[in-house]
Amino acid sequence: MTDFDRDRLLIVEDDDGLCRQYRWAFPGRTVLTANSRSEALAVLERERPAVAVIDLGLPPDPDGVTEGFATLRDLLSICPDMKIIVATGNAAKRNAIHAIGHGAHDFYEKPVDIDVLRLIVDRAFRLFELEAENRTLGSITGSSPIKSIITAAEPMLKICRDIEKLAQTDVPVLLLGDSGTGKEVLARALHDLSPRASGPFIAINCGAIPENLLESELFGHEKGAFTGAVRQTLGRVELAQKGTLFLDEIGDLPQSLQVKLLRFLQEHVIERVGGRKSIPVDARIISATNQNLERLVETQQFRMDLFYRLNIVSVRIPPLRERPGDPVLLGRYFLTRFARQSGRRAIGLSERAAAALAAHSWPGNIRELENRIRRGAIMAEGRFVEPADLELAPADVTVPDLRAARQKAEREAIQLAVAHAQGSIASAAKLLGVSRPTLYALIDSLGIAELIRNVYAPQQTETVTESEDL
């Protein structure tokens, strides 16, 4: 639940001395205490803590576990996602196991070892935060301007803004991108956001239909036009009347049909196979391909005039590997959807799985990601999907060296400034907005004085010192 406070810890304990000890044992946490089940439920409703530590021996049954288990049950009924840690005596591990079977997150044994308990509590908070993040991101139905597009990457956000603009026009649009990047989803968005949204959206894959059948599929046929044509049949172009026709894999369109499609684009009329009547059709054309149409034009496999008719506006869709953050964002969305479909309790991506998703190159793009996440949702044994469940290698998570990154940036900036200044340190300092002594000190600390000297020494006799330019 997103309204629970991720820094508040509830202690349910009837020993006032232990409660006082707990209050200072968790720095950085807001510690709330309760001495009974009723007090614990009141605190939960009022303060919404994310983690609770409860003693199973609570009044009116301090020597038993009945009240402790009742408290566990009631807390979880209000917040199933809350992490509850139970306290148990040395001789009562069976009670701890029983509690975990009823939804407790973990247990610890009395007498209390604060360091051990602090570790258990910190781990519970971290798990709560991770699950909450997975739930939040998984519930996203569209973080972009277009409802059907889930993205947080700037390249895709720009495309979504472009799609919104193009939707209000009637010009043909050519969608370019690798297989699995979502070309049909964007084509549907162009239709749904357009004035033609109430009309039909008709899609056809030009590469999936045999050439001898494709003409009939596109333009329809008259009764008796060929063997087996027992009735008049409307083609996809005609069915798109007042709507949108989406021609996927347009690069596979045979040349014999390219002429007929060109005529439709120029004159907005078609003729059915076996017919002589020109039929006017008002439909917007959106096409897509993963091929290089310009190269096909050069090799005369695709008509140049048709290419320019289709390519009034083109939109290049980046592959998933060029959309930073989107593999994890989409992965969490798909995981939530698949878990819900299979009736499983909500599961999430582990940190290792998220890192593996971010590191993978995704040659199959979103289609590959969706398939791997579906497999992970099935194969995961715990609350989190791991890289092995996705059949991905664990990624090496490296923390960048901030000092090295800063030095690299400074070195590159100084070399560029000195180059623009043609070796003059005074001019380079002005370009960089620093004093000459500061620039000399930076050159010396970065160890590039000799490099600069070697580059410019043949041209100038001065050397890099605090008083001379190159």
Side-chain angles (χ1 to χ4, degrees):
M1 298 175 63
T2 56
D3 60 339
F4 273 63
D5 194 305
R6 301 183 189 184
D7 287 321
R8 293 184 180 177
L9 171 65
L10 170 61
I11 304 293
V12 187
E13 172 62 63
D14 63 338
D15 186 327
D16 290 333
L18 273 178
C19 286
R20 286 192 297 271
Q21 186 179 3
Y22 286 138
R23 281 196 177 94
W24 59 259
F26 301 97
R29 309 283 185 196
T30 301
V31 179
L32 313 165
T33 59
N35 299 124
S36 65
R37 176 168 37 142
S38 59
E39 289 182 16
L41 295 176
V43 171
L44 178 62
E45 291 287 355
R46 184 176 65 252
E47 304 290 346
R48 317 299 277 179
V51 178
V53 176
I54 66 174
D55 185 1
L56 290 180
L58 294 173
D61 184 24
D63 296 325
V65 294
T66 305
E67 191 66 10
F69 276 110
T71 304
L72 171 66
R73 181 191 65 240
D74 290 350
L75 291 176
L76 289 176
S77 68
I78 296 173
C79 178
D81 301 313
M82 189 180 192
K83 303 304 168 199
I84 299 180
I85 302 160
V86 297
T88 181
N90 288 332
K93 285 187 178 180
R94 63 182 183 277
N95 290 331
I97 295 172
H98 185 62
I100 290 175
H102 283 74
H105 164 66
D106 209 337
F107 73 94
Y108 74 97
E109 294 179 352
K110 289 187 174 181
V112 177
D113 183 328
I114 289 299
D115 290 335
V116 173
L117 181 57
R118 189 181 294 123
L119 181 63
I120 295 173
V121 167
D122 287 345
R123 187 171 60 187
F125 271 106
R126 178 65 188 126
L127 182 60
F128 184 91
E129 291 169 2
L130 186 59
E131 289 182 350
E133 181 184 0
N134 274 301
R135 287 192 298 272
T136 300
L137 293 175
S139 64
I140 294 175
T141 56
S143 56
S144 71
I146 299 176
K147 183 179 179 182
S148 56
I149 303 295
I150 299 171
T151 184
E154 182 54 36
M156 277 302 296
L157 291 174
K158 182 183 183 305
I159 286 175
C160 290
R161 293 191 292 269
D162 291 343
I163 291 295
E164 286 184 304
K165 297 174 188 175
L166 292 171
Q168 303 309 310
T169 72
D170 231 14
V171 298
V173 176
L174 176 61
L175 302 175
L176 304 171
D178 296 347
S179 295
T181 51
K183 295 188 288 294
E184 184 168 349
V185 175
L186 287 175
R188 287 185 178 275
L190 276 168
H191 172 76
D192 293 340
L193 296 173
S194 75
R196 296 177 177 270
S198 59
F201 177 86
I202 304 297
I204 183 170
N205 188 320
C206 299
I209 300 174
E211 182 175 348
N212 61 329
L213 300 178
L214 185 55
E215 182 178 8
S216 176
E217 281 291 323
L218 278 172
F219 302 105
H221 60 261
E222 299 289 354
K223 180 179 179 180
F226 48 82
T227 303
V230 296
R231 64 178 182 276
Q232 183 189 78
T233 300
L234 303 185
R236 303 290 182 93
V237 177
E238 198 170 347
L239 290 172
Q241 184 76 257
K242 300 297 182 181
T244 301
L245 175 66
F246 175 51
L247 301 172
D248 199 5
E249 303 302 341
I250 189 67
D252 293 328
L253 187 69
Q255 286 196 334
S256 59
L257 295 182
Q258 292 177 23
V259 177
K260 202 164 185 178
L261 179 61
L262 179 63
R263 184 195 176 202
F264 166 66
L265 290 171
Q266 291 174 331
E267 303 176 15
H268 304 286
V269 296
I270 63 167
E271 288 182 6
R272 302 188 189 110
V273 176
R276 297 178 179 271
K277 178 182 176 182
S278 294
I279 303 167
V281 177
D282 175 20
R284 182 185 189 174
I285 298 294
I286 301 172
S287 52
T289 183
N290 60 6
Q291 300 185 60
N292 187 330
L293 286 187
E294 293 178 343
R295 187 173 299 166
L296 294 180
V297 170
E298 292 175 359
T299 57
Q300 299 184 347
Q301 296 175 269
F302 201 87
R303 293 181 62 96
M304 181 182 293
D305 46 7
L306 177 58
F307 171 71
Y308 286 114
R309 280 285 180 179
L310 294 172
N311 192 31
I312 294 178
V313 178
S314 63
V315 177
R316 296 186 179 275
I317 307 168
L320 190 56
R321 62 180 175 275
E322 295 178 10
R323 294 166 51 174
D326 277 6
V328 177
L329 182 68
L330 284 163
R332 285 176 167 143
Y333 168 75
F334 288 138
L335 185 59
T336 300
R337 191 179 76 184
F338 294 147
R340 188 183 302 119
Q341 289 174 353
S342 61
R344 290 194 58 176
R345 184 179 177 182
I347 55 177
L349 295 170
S350 71
E351 292 183 357
R352 292 181 296 276
L357 290 178
H360 189 58
S361 62
W362 299 111
N365 291 293
I366 297 173
R367 192 174 294 120
E368 178 191 356
L369 172 65
E370 186 174 4
N371 289 341
R372 286 188 184 274
I373 294 296
R374 187 188 298 273
R375 183 188 189 284
I378 296 170
M379 301 304 294
E381 295 181 355
R383 295 289 303 278
F384 293 96
V385 173
E386 298 293 343
D389 301 323
L390 303 169
E391 291 190 335
L392 291 176
D396 293 329
V397 182
T398 57
V399 179
D401 186 324
L402 186 59
R403 182 176 180 179
R406 184 175 65 248
Q407 289 178 340
K408 181 176 182 291
E410 289 176 345
R411 187 181 300 110
E412 292 175 351
I414 290 172
Q415 291 174 338
L416 181 62
V418 173
H420 275 283
Q422 298 182 356
S424 170
I425 297 299
S427 299
K430 289 180 181 179
L431 289 173
L432 293 168
V434 299
S435 65
R436 287 178 65 187
T438 299
L439 181 53
Y440 282 123
L442 283 170
I443 290 173
D444 184 59
S445 66
L446 294 170
I448 58 175
E450 185 176 356
L451 172 64
I452 294 175
R453 187 184 305 113
N454 291 338
V455 172
Y456 293 99
Q459 304 170 23
Q460 303 188 32
T461 58
E462 298 170 305
T463 58
V464 180
T465 69
E466 284 203 14
S467 60
E468 295 176 318
D469 280 343
L470 294 176

